Amino acid sequence: MTAMTEGAMAPALDLPTDDGGHFNLATATGPVVVFFYPKADTPGCTVEAIDFSSLKPEFDALGVTVVGVSRDPAKKLARFRAKHELTVELASDEAGTVTEAWGVWVEKQLYGRTYMGIERATALIDPSKRLTRVWRKVSVKGHADEVLEAASSL
């Protein structure tokens, strides 16, 4: 869980994207927002991805790249993008190496059942790849706006 610590250098992030491309944090220019979400096309994750997509022009104006990461296969992410007309980049961590390295693969509980899953979390990364701001256990409502506000102060 210590991987997402404000002020620390961001862990590696190099993943295939839903459009057949690749996202590599090391080669990204400018600030980056990475939002981790549990599962494509579920209610909270859909709202979050739509909220970030609706603010993409504002993030673009600030020179900020936004990428969503889940363990869904890239093909499922492509269907998710098309269904909801998403404009932010979606990256697939099917192997789980990135979500584990970033400390967002955690034990969760639902209806008394314990299981492993992605903790909804977001990181704002400055151009030097340092974690400027970290949000853990994100509540979706208003979150994308809060991230945009933080990004505008970089």
Side-chain angles (χ1 to χ4, degrees), residues 62-144:
L62 296 171
V64 177
T65 301
V66 178
V67 61
V69 176
S70 74
R71 286 195 173 194
D72 295 302
K75 283 182 180 174
K76 181 176 182 182
L77 294 178
R79 289 191 302 271
F80 181 44
R81 170 190 298 284
K83 179 178 178 181
H84 300 286
E85 299 178 355
L86 303 175
T87 56
V88 293
E89 198 155 19
L90 301 174
S92 170
D93 183 30
E94 245 184 307
T97 52
V98 169
T99 48
E100 288 179 23
W102 283 68
V104 297
W105 186 247
V106 298
E107 191 173 274
K108 300 171 101 176
Q109 286 195 328
L110 183 66
Y111 304 120
R113 187 177 69 94
T114 301
Y115 65 100
M116 294 300 288
I118 293 179
E119 174 189 322
R120 190 180 309 280
T122 302
L124 174 60
I125 303 151
D126 72 15
S128 69
K129 309 304 181 237
R130 192 166 300 281
L131 295 165
T132 305
R133 183 89 188 270
V134 172
W135 293 264
R136 305 290 309 230
K137 297 181 180 171
V138 166
S139 174
V140 173
K141 189 172 170 50
H143 178 62

